[in-house]
Amino acid sequence: MDRSRQEAVVWRNRALTLFDRVTVPVAVCDVYGAVLLANPAMAAECGTTPGRLRGREVLELFRPRRAGQVERIAEALRLRHRSRYQVSVRWTAPGGGAERYGELTADPVSDTVEETPALLVMLRVLGERAARPRTPVEVSPVEARILALLAGGATTARAARETGLSADGVTYHLRRLSARWGAATRTELVARAYALGVLEAGVWPPSASRSVVPDGDGALRGGSGVAPDGDETARG
């Protein structure tokens, strides 16, 4: 190995050591935003290790607060503009607790102007908001049964036969659930039922969760999620 190559290796190792030790969250991404290299501080913000961040999309890890920012940056990079780009982002703190918010700064870097640049991405944490208190999710026994039937692929007609309701009665319950949870389709409604703990995960045929039990007025209480607000109705 010639002297110049040896010196390049030495300086590369020094740069990587500095990269690992700096306390600012930093990552190197390709022009599409996929992580190529991340330091421990960046990985800590995501609750993982640097190696596990490789290949992840940085804008999936840190959600932009305004989509228009990302579109403008993508267009500027396509035109090979080499400015510093900033995106306001938010993400969930490790452990699923508070929501943090801050700013991602991306600098295009490459050895020559002609090369497609990589992005040197730095994260500045500005603060965090406490997690919302979790409240029980309430569904009636018949609603839980309908959700389980839908999760198993039942049609409205079959759900009506299984529960002793009319088709209109099944649709009425689905609309109530959709309005309560902000679900736009039946697929989303079933997904929310799993996410909120109303349906038991990992069992077939689908059934109401064992943690969902009836209270004194016949409603089922269970799950550990926060029931979202909304006024959409389910569409079959």
Side-chain angles (χ1 to χ4, degrees):
M1 183 182 296
D2 59 38
R3 183 177 179 82
S4 61
R5 185 178 294 272
Q6 288 177 334
E7 290 180 351
V9 171
V10 169
W11 281 105
R12 176 183 179 276
N13 291 339
R14 288 174 178 172
L16 289 174
T17 299
L18 178 62
F19 183 81
D20 282 343
R21 292 183 180 178
V22 69
T23 58
V24 176
V26 183
V28 178
C29 303
D30 66 20
V31 73
Y32 302 105
V35 176
L36 303 173
L37 187 67
N39 73 346
M42 180 66 86
E45 284 297 328
C46 302
T48 186
T49 61
R52 291 183 179 275
L53 282 185
R54 191 171 298 117
R56 301 281 300 278
E57 295 291 332
V58 71
L59 292 181
E60 291 179 2
L61 300 168
F62 304 98
R63 304 180 300 279
R65 300 179 74 178
R66 293 187 294 276
Q69 288 180 305
V70 178
E71 293 169 1
R72 288 193 296 272
I73 292 171
E75 177 64 13
L77 289 171
R78 187 182 68 81
L79 297 173
R80 296 185 180 276
H81 293 172
R82 289 179 173 267
S83 302
R84 170 171 289 185
Y85 305 103
Q86 296 176 326
V87 182
S88 297
V89 294
R90 53 192 170 87
W91 66 100
T92 303
E99 180 184 77
R100 290 181 179 166
Y101 58 93
E103 189 173 74
L104 278 180
T105 300
D107 288 284
V109 292
S110 63
D111 292 334
T112 67
V113 176
E114 291 77 20
E115 285 185 67
T116 300
L119 299 175
L120 181 64
V121 176
M122 291 178 284
L123 175 68
R124 184 158 65 106
V125 182
L126 298 178
E128 66 178 41
R129 301 179 183 89
R132 291 185 299 168
R134 295 187 178 272
T135 56
V137 179
E138 297 184 11
V139 296
S140 69
V142 69
E143 287 170 341
R145 176 66 175 148
I146 291 171
L147 288 168
L149 288 167
L150 289 183
T155 62
T156 299
R158 181 185 163 195
R161 289 195 303 271
E162 295 283 344
T163 57
L165 298 173
S166 66
D168 286 342
V170 171
T171 300
Y172 166 77
H173 284 290
L174 292 175
R175 285 178 174 168
R176 284 188 62 194
L177 288 166
S178 296
R180 193 184 311 161
W181 295 349
T185 66
R186 293 188 178 187
T187 299
E188 184 179 349
L189 189 62
V190 170
R192 288 182 182 254
Y194 277 111
L196 296 170
V198 173
L199 296 180
E200 187 75 24
V203 300
W204 192 266
S207 63
S209 173
R210 285 172 293 183
S211 64
V212 178
V213 294
D215 64 9
D217 61 8
L220 298 175
R221 301 179 188 272
S224 56
V226 180
D229 298 325
D231 58 3
E232 297 290 337
T233 59
R235 295 188 290 272

